[in-house]
Amino acid sequence: MATSTSSNVNVDEPEGVANKSSKKDINNKVDLVINNRKHANYVFDILEYLQADKEKDVVCAVNACNKLFCALLKRGDLFVGQLPSEEDMLSAEHSAEQKYRMFMRHRYNSCTDLLLELMHHESFQVKEGALLTLMKFVTMEGKFPLLAVDWEEHYHFPRELLKAVVGQLLSEKEDMALLISRFQEFLEMEDVRYYVMSSVSDSVARVMEKAKGVALPVYQGNVFLLASSVCMPSKEAELSNFLVKQAAKQEDWKAAKFKEHRRAFERMWLCFLKYKLPSSMYKKVLVILHDSILPHMSKPTLMIDFLTAAYDVGGAISLLALNGLFVLIHQHNLDYPDFYKKLYGLLEPSVFHVKYRARFFHLANIFLSSSHLPVYLVAAFAKRLSRLALTAPPAALLMVLPFICNLIRRHPACRVLIHRPSAPDEPCDDPYLMEEDDPAHCHALESSLWELQTLQKHYHPDVAKAAMAINKPLTEEEDDISELLELSAYELFERGLKQKEKQAVPLEFEVATQLLGGSGGVLGAHFSLE
């Protein structure tokens, strides 16, 4: 092949003219390469533009490569099979036709390498163009394969190219959230989704083993974004949208089997959650766990190790971990005897002051909804909440007091806590052990909810009124606390301002019209106002 021909751009031209001339130069050379093989060496100039300093030149070159190599792939001008090195292809055993195809195949490989690098360009327009061009190459290679038949799966799919794209999306140094968001449309394709999941598993195993288990926040953040973008089908019949159309016997292709998709999905998440995560990542995973991950796993109980580790993190993460464990217990028959003990341990004063308060009590309400729970357990929760209520803010109390009453409604045997006969004026020691972590040994059932009676003297009238509920027999119908879960101090204040002010009883014969003015006022009687 001849040497590369230099670009015709005049460096002395104004920027606008230079941009137009470089774009024209790129497009002209693309047309020459496509239309006449004797101009094959212009491909070097086109690839050189991919490394240009100006963003517009790079964008133009990306589009040009898209047009050029898609045309060559469609025409069959790229070598198919195991590609010899550039030195070996010059030997006499290859014909001129073979040498041309080998030459273009090497240029195509160089182009994909440069496009993969451009996925980390400072310009998002360049990144996006590189990604879309590479996925176009994936589509074209599927239609016009460059490798021999894969006898293991019997179908052509450019797995290596897609794996390289996924590798760039899962950067260890750069947050790829925007580009991963752009890539989501391709995950709607069944075959792309299947091979992406496999590629993610391979990448996580390789990168995290190299890191020896040390958390990599940027990398793991990219993995989570890509993995959580996978929307799994619910049945085999939904597997109908493929990027690469196969000629025949598609049902034998792994990417076309629902069972294989579930297996790849489970392997991807188990591999990702096997390693230590950044603290913030646990919460992100746990929020989607019960809806988007567990339903698509063949063995959801394999998540027990992750959920146990997540509980040990503390705070909101512990609560969300218990939510996952609850799903496993009720839907997958997981035996986890410490579940309610761990939930009881989360009841601390801080639970009323954190931003996840609403979610905590929403889930706690679900966890304690069963009428088959032991009486001592329900009594322990009611008593601990009552004790914590003594120092809780009014907005939280308006939710907690009905919550406690609902617990007693569900379990009539707990009514003894509010109807225990005792002399009201006789001092007594409360047998309840607040410091005891085990609800079975805290003696709650031997105590009473005297704290609720104390709250009847609360300074906030709405709280005092809510605490009065225990003075009358509780109705069978539970209170709806859904609207109270998100109640804030600001909303409580606003609600108080909107209430109609009652007409006050006059305390003076003459109604005061001003504070300091008038000769008959307090100041006028003692001081001269002149």
Side-chain angles (χ1 to χ4, degrees), residues 176-225:
M176 303 294 286
L178 287 177
L179 205 58
I180 290 174
S181 176
R182 188 66 180 86
F183 183 72
Q184 287 181 8
E185 67 178 75
F186 298 103
L187 293 175
E188 297 176 5
M189 311 287 184
E190 323 298 350
D191 44 0
V192 173
R193 183 196 310 120
Y194 174 77
Y195 290 112
V196 164
M197 290 189 293
S198 300
S199 299
V200 170
S201 300
D202 295 340
S203 173
V204 171
R206 174 178 51 80
V207 173
M208 296 309 296
E209 285 297 328
K210 182 179 178 182
K212 297 181 180 180
V214 177
L216 303 174
V218 175
Y219 172 76
Q220 289 172 301
N222 289 329
V223 173
F224 173 76
L225 286 172

Side-chain angles (χ1 to χ4, degrees), residues 24-36 39 42 46 67-68 75:
K24 183 177 180 181
D25 182 50
I26 295 171
N27 291 332
N28 286 340
K29 288 179 177 178
V30 169
D31 292 336
L32 289 172
V33 174
I34 292 176
N35 296 325
N36 196 327
H39 298 299
Y42 280 138
I46 298 170
K67 177 182 178 181
L68 171 61
R75 204 162 62 190

Side-chain angles (χ1 to χ4, degrees), residues 378 382 403-418 449 452 470 474:
V378 179
F403 187 96
I404 296 172
C405 291
N406 285 346
L407 290 180
I408 297 174
R409 287 187 176 98
R410 294 170 194 165
H411 304 270
C414 290
R415 292 179 185 270
V416 68
L417 294 175
I418 57 176
L449 302 185
L452 299 190
I470 64 169
L474 294 176

Side-chain angles (χ1 to χ4, degrees), residues 106-125:
H106 277 290
R107 304 290 76 76
Y108 172 73
N109 290 349
S110 298
C111 176
T112 57
D113 289 341
L114 289 171
L115 290 173
L116 289 169
E117 292 179 9
L118 288 177
M119 287 178 66
H120 300 287
H121 196 275
E122 60 184 12
S123 166
F124 180 75
Q125 186 179 3

Side-chain angles (χ1 to χ4, degrees), residues 42-54:
Y42 280 138
V43 72
F44 286 110
D45 291 353
I46 298 170
L47 295 180
E48 188 175 346
Y49 274 112
L50 288 177
Q51 305 171 71
D53 294 330
K54 295 180 180 179

